[in-house]
């Protein structure tokens, strides 16, 4: 039968102000297996520690729970006190009723209940604890850091500077992680490259760091101080003395596929020559005009119905606008689509006036009827559903457009009719004149 | 029109005007068909063609048919006004055309069934200005909308168009122009309300010869469409305003940035540009002066943040529209790093009238600090929706009840939302508030670009706040963390509240987050993003509490918190809800009270919205 002691600390007003420590102590005293429960102003003080050691000796306690601050503060204090009177230190545990309770709650009644719960849980845990003995094992003085983002890089540098050997593992071909994608950092808007790049260089220059880029951790064995880690270095070159030229790697190469066969839209039906001719015609309008990117992309989209990848590549080469810039613009504005769109582009207005008059229900009805979400196209390439934030015809709310033809004062019933009509009609009859720019 | 007709000086312009006017008799019958986007959506272009065909067939060649800009009363469209008597027909269909030609055009009789009937007094209104919607308005920015054909510069010139420009180029120095605009007290109509004259002066004072003028036509606020109407219906007034502004500032190039969603505005502006260039009202040495100026149209591509001036400049330069830290302000370093002056469409359209009629006349309208008129788009749960131009200082009650005709279906007024996603909701207790820049801000709203969205008892304010935040999450450019992350967190808290999973303390958490986002965002999109939450919390805190504590949505909007039921006494068994119910959850015989099968009901709310007798109730 366990003989437990429970000691509740007030921590001055830190705990006692929010938690009724006396109530917790009397609650704990009544728990099965608890021999003694006391509360005291400062349990970590000398008189407080003496309260514990005296009780251990007097009541021959088999385990102790101290309900006070975080174990990170005073666990060593109380465990040393327990050991000094012969109790195995691992038979003493702490219930954190300060950081986890009194400091984060304001309601005294509820906080007291939570403190009771925490104490009860710890009492049950200590009842099941086994006395532990400390042993010494040799530790390999090497460190592995997994992931070479800015945090991994800094950790590796710090450990290396302290004189230890570091193995830095990164899955990507280059280190830097997300920070390499950022422009500025929060909240000071500092230049993120200015923080990152010097550290990337330092990694390469540090004698204590071995970098395993383009590598992945496959297996971790062992225990603290003696880990065994299996790291797979991915291939990035070919051993020509062994290569038979079978072509299998060419077929399965992910990197090659990423460049030449993107997972995105299929190539348009036109031949490359036709695409080139069309793009050349469009470009003529824009010779030497600053700020032409948006207008140009709008024209390309009008011509091809969306922005096909090979067209953008051709456009970039021809216009000398970097491909990255074309993509940045195409992705930023809602008006551009990188996916092929349907014959009928249905835009459901979700402006405030339309929202109030049930625009959302119209949109839901289309989603239900066509089985596509916003921004998607039906499998038969007939309909694309787009959500717009205001079509500027608020007086006729709720409004939708089908290929730029407006339909006002919509209801779910009228919406269904429009969809049916579209399925019957030819698309040319639905569109209205496209605006021309001078 | 050919280059040969280029006007060499102001005198040429005056004689051209005389020539146009001489060709028009004031007694001549003209049929003006509204060709704004609202009426077009209801078939006004077919109507226009039918009138032309019918008149030709009946050989009535001296009757003119005009496709004009938006008349404003879109709710009742398509609209037709017969000049010179100004007989006002509403909801005109193609089949009505022969009747109108036969009765009104030939015999000067009125087609009674097409007249507007005032729902309050049940009286029919014969003329446009008898319609209560128009009676209380004062149309200055909309002076030409509904009267002239926007694709004919002759019409604009006949209506004293470009007279202000001629006056500026022949009689006024740049300083005098700025002084006139300053004295008139014109403030930016895009929302900020910055004094226009001062803005021009700052830009003028910057060193350098190369300066730019931009017209912000990126009317992104959902619920506002007056700029669209002006660009579509009276594009020359914007061009004239910009030319005058450029003269005052010392700029020679300008851009009009038009939203992607406004194709008709681009078309009509393009036509106006072409026509004014060929008349020499744009281009080199305008009207024989040494002032040269030209305008180019830039189409937007769908990004709300591009209404913010630094983002707009980035977009004109062909970049992604992400805002820049200010200062430097665009007036110091804007487009291509040069001093740039940006005003919105409505502001530019005000400029020619101020020059023409004088600053005193303009300053005579409005309140102490807000002069002139303001165009509002009155939409939402109000009877007469459309565009309304009233003097500053008109009360919200006058706008909503006298002009707007109150709330449909005799429901109760709850609030009016102003200023788009950056603005706020104003409750019934503040309905007598005179509307101007300061008063709206004090009440927790904002002038914004002038959207007035009326909400009734069936509008849930928590849902409205959630709606606006969803909009802002979508439109945040993602550059700064407070806006990108903060607004998203606020939105997710609102989502859980409307799902019935709101927690004690959520309101306080929202307030805390709102304060952070407001303080630390880079541009005004983030800086004003918490406003919808703060203003609804200020005036409708009880609705938030009902959602969180009682798990109820008093307005019956938040589907997770309501159940629909049919009131058997009110239900007439018309079958409307039964027809539209997507899951066939409404059951019952014709002419017998229906019932809703709770098991099948997906709470889409179609029946709740459909019911003409309000017999579907939300519990």
């Amino acid at each position: 039968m366990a003989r437990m002691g429970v000691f509740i600390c007030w921590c001055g007003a830190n705990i006692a102000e929010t938690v009724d420590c006396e109530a917790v102590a009397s609650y704990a005293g009544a728990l099965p297996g608890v021999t003694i429960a006391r509360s005291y102003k400062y349990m970590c003080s000398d008189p407080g520690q003496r309260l514990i050691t005296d009780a251990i000796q007097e009541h021959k306690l088999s385990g102790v729970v101290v309900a006070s601050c975080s174990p990170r503060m005073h666990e060593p204090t109380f465990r040393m006190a327990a050991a000094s009177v012969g109790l195995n230190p691992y038979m003493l545990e702490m219930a954190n009723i300060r950081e986890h309770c009194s400091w984060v709650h304001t309601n005294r009644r509820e906080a007291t209940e939570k403190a009771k719960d925490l104490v009860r849980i710890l009492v049950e845990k200590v009842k099941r604890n086994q006395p532990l003995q400390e042993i010494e094992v040799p530790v390999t003085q090497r460190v592995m850091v997994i992931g070479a983002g800015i945090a991994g890089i800094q950790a590796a540098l710090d450990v290396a500077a302290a004189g230890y050997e570091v193995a830095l593992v990164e899955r990507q071909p280059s280190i830097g992680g997300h920070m390499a994608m950022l422009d500025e950092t929060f909240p000071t808007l500092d230049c993120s490259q200015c923080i990152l790049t010097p550290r990337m260089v330092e990694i390469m220059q540090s004698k204590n760091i071995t970098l395993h880029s383009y590598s992945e951790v496959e297996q971790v064995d062992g225990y603290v101080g003696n880990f065994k880690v299996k790291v797979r270095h991915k291939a990035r070159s070919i051993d020509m003395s062994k290569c038979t030229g079978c072509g299998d790697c060419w077929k399965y190469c992910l990197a090659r596929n990423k460049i030449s066969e993107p997972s995105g839209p299929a190539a348009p039906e036109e031949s490359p020559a036709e695409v080139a001719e069309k793009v050349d015609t469009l470009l003529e309008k824009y010779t030497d005009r600053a700020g032409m990117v948006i207008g140009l992309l709008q024209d390309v989209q009008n011509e091809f119905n969306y922005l096909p990848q090979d067209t953008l590549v051709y456009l970039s080469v021809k216009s000398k606008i970097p491909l990255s810039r074309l993509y940045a613009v195409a992705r930023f504005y809602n008006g551009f689509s990188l996916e092929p769109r349907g014959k009928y582009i249905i835009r459901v207005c979700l402006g405030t006036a339309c929202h109030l008059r049930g625009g959302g229900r119209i949109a839901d009805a289309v989603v239900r009827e066509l089985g596509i979400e916003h921004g998607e196209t039906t499998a038969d390439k007939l309909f694309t559903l787009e959500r717009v934030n205001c079509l500027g015809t608020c007086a006729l709310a709720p409004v939708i457009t089908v290929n730029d033809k407006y339909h006002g004062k919509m209801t779910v019933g009228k919406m269904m009719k429009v969809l049916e009509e579209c399925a019957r009609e030819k698309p040319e009859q639905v569109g209205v004149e496209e605006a021309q720019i001078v | 029109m050919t280059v040969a007709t280029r006007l060499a000086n102001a005198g040429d312009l005056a004689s051209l005007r005389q020539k146009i006017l001489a060709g028009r008799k004031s007694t001549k019958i003209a049929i003006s068909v509204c060709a704004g986007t609202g009426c077009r959506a209801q078939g006004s272009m077919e109507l226009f063609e039918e009138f032309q065909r019918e008149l030709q067939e009946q050989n009535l060649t001296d009757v003119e048919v005009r496709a004009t800009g938006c008349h404003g009363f879109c709710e009742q469209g398509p609209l037709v006004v017969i000049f010179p008597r100004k007989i006002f027909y509403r909801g005109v269909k193609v089949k009505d055309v022969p009747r109108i030609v036969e009765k009104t055009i030939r015999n000067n009789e009125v087609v009674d069934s097409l007249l507007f009937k005032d729902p309050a007094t049940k009286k029919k209104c014969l003329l446009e200005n008898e319609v209560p919607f128009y009676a209380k308005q004062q149309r200055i920015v909309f002076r030409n909308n509904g009267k002239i054909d926007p694709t004919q510069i002759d019409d604009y010139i006949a209506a004293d168009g470009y007279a202000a420009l001629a006056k500026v180029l022949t009689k006024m120095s740049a300083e005098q122009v700025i002084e006139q605009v300053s004295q008139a007290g014109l403030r930016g109509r895009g929302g900020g309300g910055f004094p226009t004259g001062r803005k021009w002066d700052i830009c003028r004072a910057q060193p350098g010869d190369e300066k730019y003028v931009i017209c912000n036509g990126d009317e992104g606020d959902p619920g506002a469409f007056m700029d669209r109407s002006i660009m579509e219906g009276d594009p020359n007034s914007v061009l004239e305003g910009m030319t005058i502004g450029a003269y005052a500032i010392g700029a020679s190039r300008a851009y009009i940035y038009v939203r992607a969603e406004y194709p008709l505005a681009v078309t009509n502006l393009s036509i106006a540009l072409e026509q004014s260039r060929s008349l020499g009202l744009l281009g080199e040495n305008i009207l024989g002066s040494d002032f040269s100026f030209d305008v180019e149209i830039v189409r937007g591509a769908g990004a709300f943040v591009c209404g913010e001036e630094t983002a707009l400049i980035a977009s004109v330069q062909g970049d992604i529209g992400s805002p820049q830290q200010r200062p430097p302000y665009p007036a110091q370093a804007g487009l291509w790093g040069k001093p740039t002056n940006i005003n919105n469409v409505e502001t530019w359209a005000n400029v020619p009238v101020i020059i023409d009629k004088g600053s005193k006349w303009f300053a005579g309208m409005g309140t102490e600090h807000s002069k002139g008129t303001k165009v509002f788009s009155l939409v939402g749960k109000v009877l007469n929706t459309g565009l309304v131009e009233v003097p500053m200082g008109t009360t919200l009650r006058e706008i909503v009840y006298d002009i707007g005709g109150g709330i449909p279906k005799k429901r109760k007024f709850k609030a009016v939302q102003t200023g788009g996603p950056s603005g706020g909701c104003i409750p019934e207790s503040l309905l007598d508030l005179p509307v101007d820049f300061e008063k709206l801000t004090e009440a927790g709203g904002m002038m914004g670009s002038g959207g007035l969205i009326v909400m009734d008892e069936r509008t849930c304010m928590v849902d409205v706040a959630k709606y606006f935040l969803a909009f802002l999450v979508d439109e945040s450019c993602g550059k700064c963390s407070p806006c990108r992350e903060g607004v998203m967190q606020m939105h997710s808290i609102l989502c859980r509240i409307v799902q019935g999973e709101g927690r004690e303390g959520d309101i306080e958490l929202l307030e805390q987050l709102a304060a952070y986002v407001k303080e630390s965002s880079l541009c005004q999109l983030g800086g004003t993003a918490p406003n919808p939450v703060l203003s609804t919390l200020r005036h409708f805190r009880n609705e938030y509490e009902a959602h969180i504590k009682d798990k109820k949505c008093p307005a019956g909007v938040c589907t997770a918190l309501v159940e629909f039921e049919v009131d058997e006494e009110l239900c007439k068994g018309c079958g409307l809800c039964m027809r539209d119910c997507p899951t066939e959850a409404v059951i019952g015989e014709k002419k017998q009270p229906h019932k809703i099968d709770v098991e099948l009901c997906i709470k889409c709310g179609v029946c709740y919205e459909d019911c003409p007798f309000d017999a579907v109730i939300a519990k």
Side-chain angles (χ1 to χ4, degrees), chain A residues 189-209:
Chain A
L189 301 185
D190 279 330
C191 156
S192 93
Q193 300 310 304
C194 312
I195 301 168
L196 176 68
T197 49
R199 286 170 176 73
M200 289 170 72
V201 174
E202 255 184 88
I203 291 282
M204 293 310 292
Q205 289 171 341
S206 169
K207 289 197 177 67
N208 280 342
I209 299 175

Side-chain angles (χ1 to χ4, degrees), chain A residues 186 289 291 294 298-299 325 332-335 350-352 355-357 361 389-392 395-396 406 409 435, chain B residues 38 42 75 225 228 259 263 296 299-302 315 317-319 321 380-381 385 453 463 467 471 475 481 604 609:
Chain A
F186 181 72
R289 268 180 54 179
I294 295 174
Q298 279 168 335
D299 286 347
R325 172 117 181 267
F332 181 83
Y333 293 98
N334 296 332
L350 294 175
T352 322
H355 175 78
L356 289 185
R357 289 199 182 175
R361 282 195 253 285
N389 279 332
C390 187
L391 287 165
L396 304 179
Y406 290 80
K409 299 182 189 168
Chain B
Q42 303 179 78
E75 171 82 33
F225 58 108
R228 159 180 224 157
R259 274 189 87 193
E296 201 177 302
R299 285 174 293 168
S315 190
Q317 293 176 177
D319 283 321
K381 308 277 187 80
T385 57
I453 296 142
D463 175 70
Y467 162 78
F471 175 89
E475 294 290 0
S481 313
C604 69
E609 204 72 359

Side-chain angles (χ1 to χ4, degrees), chain B residues 91-383:
Chain B
V92 183
K93 305 225 161 44
V94 170
K95 66 173 168 53
D96 298 322
V97 169
R99 251 193 324 157
I100 295 176
V101 172
E102 183 56 36
K103 283 188 123 182
T104 315
I105 308 296
R106 278 195 180 278
N107 301 318
N108 206 10
E109 288 169 18
V110 174
V111 183
D112 212 44
S113 62
L114 294 174
L115 292 177
F116 177 75
K117 194 168 133 190
D118 185 356
T121 59
K122 309 278 177 220
K123 242 183 66 187
K124 295 224 169 164
C125 307
L126 176 66
L127 306 179
E128 189 180 71
N129 51 17
E130 287 175 4
V131 177
F133 179 79
Y134 291 107
K136 283 226 169 182
Q137 294 195 42
Q138 188 169 5
R139 300 202 140 193
I140 290 168
V141 174
F142 273 167
R143 56 194 178 275
N144 295 324
N145 262 40
K147 296 198 183 84
I148 66 169
D149 181 343
T151 61
Q152 298 298 331
I153 198 170
D154 283 5
D155 276 17
Y156 182 70
I157 291 174
D160 282 339
Y162 288 106
L165 178 64
K167 185 173 168 187
V168 164
L169 291 179
T170 51
K171 298 190 188 122
M172 293 171 84
S173 68
E175 287 81 2
Q176 283 172 321
V177 174
I178 292 178
E179 202 182 292
Q180 278 279 319
V181 174
S182 298
Q183 279 174 357
L186 178 64
R187 295 171 63 176
R189 297 294 195 247
F194 194 82
T196 307
R198 203 187 320 154
K199 201 174 195 174
W200 291 7
D201 205 26
I202 294 170
C203 194
R204 178 179 170 71
Q206 297 300 315
D209 295 334
E210 205 178 323
K211 289 174 188 173
Y212 291 98
V213 162
I214 293 179
C215 170
N216 183 350
D218 187 68
E219 194 173 38
D221 278 7
F225 58 108
M226 63 288 293
D227 290 352
R228 159 180 224 157
S229 233
I230 300 166
M231 289 188 285
E232 286 176 1
D234 196 7
N236 279 296
S237 70
V238 182
L239 296 182
E240 188 182 355
M242 288 174 76
T243 315
I244 294 169
Y247 173 78
I249 292 157
S252 58
R253 284 208 66 75
Y255 295 88
I256 304 184
Y257 188 89
V258 189
R259 274 189 87 193
E261 289 81 358
Y262 293 177
L264 185 62
V266 174
T267 311
N268 287 1
L269 278 168
S270 304
I271 294 169
L273 275 179
E274 205 177 312
Q275 293 179 347
S276 53
R277 267 190 211 125
S278 67
L279 280 178
L281 293 164
L282 278 179
E284 301 287 313
N285 304 96
I286 296 171
L287 289 178
S289 69
D290 51 11
F291 175 62
S292 302
F293 174 69
D294 212 339
V295 182
E296 201 177 302
I297 300 172
V298 178
R299 285 174 293 168
F304 175 69
V305 73
C306 288
E308 199 274 343
E309 54 183 13
T310 58
L312 187 144
I313 287 172
S315 190
V316 171
Q317 293 176 177
D319 283 321
I320 62 168
S322 74
Q324 303 297 318
Q325 188 92 45
R326 296 182 306 181
Y329 289 90
Q332 302 159 311
L335 192 65
W336 319 116
K338 306 290 178 198
T340 303
N341 182 78
I342 304 185
N343 283 118
N344 97 319
V345 175
E346 194 183 334
T347 317
W348 289 122
N350 265 305
V351 172
V353 214
I354 292 174
I355 300 294
D356 206 25
K357 301 202 175 175
S359 55
K360 265 207 189 115
W361 168 83
F362 189 84
M365 293 174 293
T367 61
E368 194 188 345
H369 296 294
S370 306
K371 301 296 185 191
T373 61
K374 174 79 190 97
V375 185
F376 292 102
S377 65
L378 185 62
V379 293
K381 308 277 187 80
V382 64
L383 215 48

Side-chain angles (χ1 to χ4, degrees), chain B residues 40-92:
Chain B
R40 276 178 190 234
Q42 303 179 78
S44 71
M45 286 323 277
E46 289 82 359
L47 201 60
F48 173 70
E49 282 159 21
E50 184 66 15
F51 267 118
Q52 280 184 321
R53 208 187 52 75
E54 185 73 22
L55 291 174
Q56 203 161 19
E57 209 162 80
Q58 303 214 16
N59 216 9
L60 290 163
T61 40
D62 57 336
V63 177
E64 190 193 349
V65 196
R66 226 179 275 161
T68 68
C70 176
H71 293 222
F73 202 0
C74 314
E75 171 82 33
Q76 296 287 334
L79 305 174
V80 172
V81 178
I82 316 273
F83 288 87
R85 278 181 72 190
K86 291 193 187 171
I87 299 169
F88 180 75
Y89 289 144
R90 43 141 308 266
V92 183

Side-chain angles (χ1 to χ4, degrees), chain A residues 106, chain B residues 493 496-497 501-513 537 541 544-545 548-549 551:
Chain A
T106 47
Chain B
I493 293 171
R496 80 172 176 237
I497 292 177
E501 287 155 17
R503 302 170 198 159
E504 192 87 3
D506 270 354
I507 295 180
E508 291 73 17
L509 190 57
L510 277 173
E511 285 171 330
Q512 202 181 7
L513 274 169
L537 267 175
R541 206 183 179 92
Y544 281 82
E545 283 165 355
I548 296 171
K549 289 188 184 139
K551 310 288 178 206

Side-chain angles (χ1 to χ4, degrees), chain A residues 93-129:
Chain A
E93 299 250 11
M94 293 179 70
N96 184 354
I97 60 167
R98 194 178 74 174
E99 284 85 341
H100 284 182
C101 187
S102 70
W103 275 2
V104 290
H105 297 298
T106 47
N107 184 315
R108 187 174 167 84
R109 189 185 54 78
E110 287 178 5
T112 304
E113 287 308 306
K114 181 171 173 183
K116 287 179 185 174
D117 286 346
L118 289 170
V119 167
R120 190 183 66 247
I121 291 162
L122 265 293
V123 166
E124 288 306 315
K125 179 173 189 293
V126 177
K127 276 189 199 170
R128 288 162 177 78
N129 276 8

Side-chain angles (χ1 to χ4, degrees), chain A residues 209-322:
Chain A
I209 299 175
T210 323
L211 176 63
H212 303 271
S213 62
Y214 205 34
S215 303
E216 254 179 281
V217 172
E218 293 224 309
Q219 206 180 352
V220 181
D221 284 329
Y223 48 89
V224 180
N226 284 293
F227 287 110
K228 271 203 171 62
V229 183
K230 206 187 230 176
V231 175
R232 186 162 63 90
H233 284 237
K234 297 179 192 170
R236 46 182 141 188
S237 61
I238 293 166
D239 184 344
M240 288 315 241
S241 64
K242 289 175 186 160
C243 177
T244 60
C246 73
D248 275 0
C249 63
W250 171 253
K251 196 163 134 200
Y252 296 114
C253 180
L254 294 169
R256 183 190 73 100
N257 287 348
K258 262 180 202 156
I259 292 159
S260 65
E261 286 172 43
S263 56
E269 285 148 22
E270 286 110 327
S271 69
E274 281 171 330
V275 170
E277 200 190 313
K278 281 184 177 174
V279 173
D280 288 347
T281 321
L282 293 177
L283 264 172
E284 272 167 28
K285 242 168 67 180
Y286 289 95
T287 39
D288 291 332
R289 268 180 54 179
M292 63 185 186
V293 181
I294 295 174
L296 192 55
L297 287 177
Q298 279 168 335
D299 286 347
V300 171
Q301 177 156 306
N302 285 344
E303 186 68 46
F304 296 94
N305 169 32
Y306 72 110
L307 298 174
Q309 172 159 1
D310 51 357
T311 309
L312 289 185
V313 171
Y314 179 78
L315 185 65
S316 162
V317 172
K318 199 74 188 169
S319 65
K320 302 210 168 61
I321 303 167

